[in-house]
Amino acid sequence: MNTDYATFVRNAQALEERIARICADCGRDPLEVQLMAVTKTHGAEAVDYAARYGLKSIGENRVQEAATKKPESTATIRWELIGHLQSNKAKLAVEIFDRIQSVDRAKLVRALDRHAGEQNRVLPVLLQVNAGDDPAKFGVSCEDAPALLEAALEASHLKVEGLMTIAPLDEDPTVARSAFERLRNLRDELQEGFGVSLPELSMGMTDDLEQAVRAGSTCVRVGTALFGARE
Ligand SMILES: *Cc1c(COP(=O)(O)O)cnc(C)c1O
């Protein structure tokens, strides 16, 4: 990472101002939109910058990378897993992360529930949905999301807080927008159908954050616009 702390602060302020402008434009309260720093590929100092600036959480996409990085950071901040999780890494993931955003199948629900139980905790999770039907992305389909939610609600050591998606990579911004709107509609249907509250909609990254905030995102996951391009 070539970014120093002063540059990080400028980047974070610019992003917060941008989010505030978008919120003003679509009538949302900017306090509803959390800025998460995605620290994957960067060292522990990236985590420390995020904490020092006052961000609430960082996102990592690999369990092993996070396991190496976490002891090197002195920061107090929430660690969240945003990348694909293999069931055989579920135990380590439960030890490291404060929340797992990438729960996408019933087998993983059962593994996480068991390990969270063994570690005597209730693990907050988001269900990852492939809302853009992108063959290159993980996530449960919208059609199969109700069954996955049902399994997750039965897991007594998991707390389902909402949904997460990664939009298809496309130059046309309406592609991301329709994936985000689909996720929000799915969330509304699931809340209604199951009588539960699913407040969190984790959607939007550096290139599609605006469409995500307009569609109701409560957590934008930003790496590049905070830390510069990854090698
Ligand atoms: C890498 C990553 C991000 C951040 O992407 P940027 O384009 O660098 O902002 C967000 N979400 C997930 C799931 C990621 O893997």
Side-chain angles (χ1 to χ4, degrees):
M1 179 177 67
N2 297 316
T3 306
D4 59 14
Y5 182 63
T7 308
F8 175 87
V9 168
R10 277 197 304 277
N11 291 344
Q13 285 171 343
L15 275 161
E16 288 178 335
E17 281 162 22
R18 202 173 144 217
I19 292 167
R21 276 198 305 274
I22 301 165
C23 285
D25 193 49
C26 63
R28 295 192 61 201
D29 178 353
L31 293 175
E32 290 172 2
V33 186
Q34 192 206 321
L35 174 60
M36 166 195 273
V38 175
T39 50
K40 67 185 186 196
T41 78
H42 303 303
E45 69 273 23
V47 178
D48 296 341
Y49 287 1
R52 187 170 154 198
Y53 183 76
L55 299 185
K56 290 205 174 59
S57 59
I58 60 96
E60 287 281 332
N61 69 333
R62 287 166 196 259
V63 178
Q64 198 50 59
E65 183 182 333
T68 313
K69 199 177 295 183
K70 202 173 178 190
E72 294 168 359
S73 167
T74 54
T76 306
I77 194 162
R78 288 165 53 86
W79 286 64
E80 302 205 35
L81 182 65
I82 58 174
H84 182 65
L85 177 57
Q86 293 170 289
S87 300
N88 64 5
K89 298 223 175 85
K91 180 170 188 277
L92 183 58
V94 174
E95 285 167 13
I96 294 174
F97 291 102
D98 299 293
R99 185 166 72 174
I100 294 180
Q101 295 204 357
S102 47
V103 176
D104 61 358
R105 57 201 190 278
K107 185 183 174 204
L108 183 59
V109 164
R110 289 190 293 272
L112 291 171
D113 186 44
R114 180 160 53 86
H115 293 301
E118 283 166 10
Q119 294 174 34
N120 272 316
R121 58 181 292 222
V122 173
L123 177 71
V125 299
L126 304 183
L127 304 184
Q128 181 176 352
V129 180
N130 191 358
D133 287 329
D134 181 348
K137 297 284 187 315
F138 288 104
V140 68
S141 66
C142 289
E143 294 69 35
D144 293 339
L148 183 61
L149 177 61
E150 190 168 355
L153 291 174
E154 279 166 12
S156 54
H157 294 95
L158 302 187
K159 178 170 187 285
V160 189
E161 297 184 334
L163 307 179
M164 180 271 237
T165 198
I166 308 169
L169 199 62
D170 200 303
E171 299 209 334
D172 177 359
T174 62
V175 172
R177 198 181 74 197
S178 58
F180 296 146
E181 287 174 351
R182 214 168 157 214
L183 193 75
R184 189 195 55 206
N185 291 335
L186 175 67
R187 187 277 305 269
D188 294 349
E189 286 164 27
L190 292 172
Q191 286 193 145
E192 175 95 30
F194 285 84
V196 293
S197 169
L198 302 168
E200 196 83 281
L201 282 178
S202 172
M203 53 191 199
M205 343 203 289
T206 294
D207 287 333
D208 55 20
L209 163 166
E210 171 157 0
Q211 293 89 318
V213 172
R214 288 186 187 281
S217 174
T218 59
C219 175
V220 290
R221 311 175 306 263
V222 178
T224 308
L226 282 171
F227 299 109
R230 289 179 290 274
E231 329 252 270

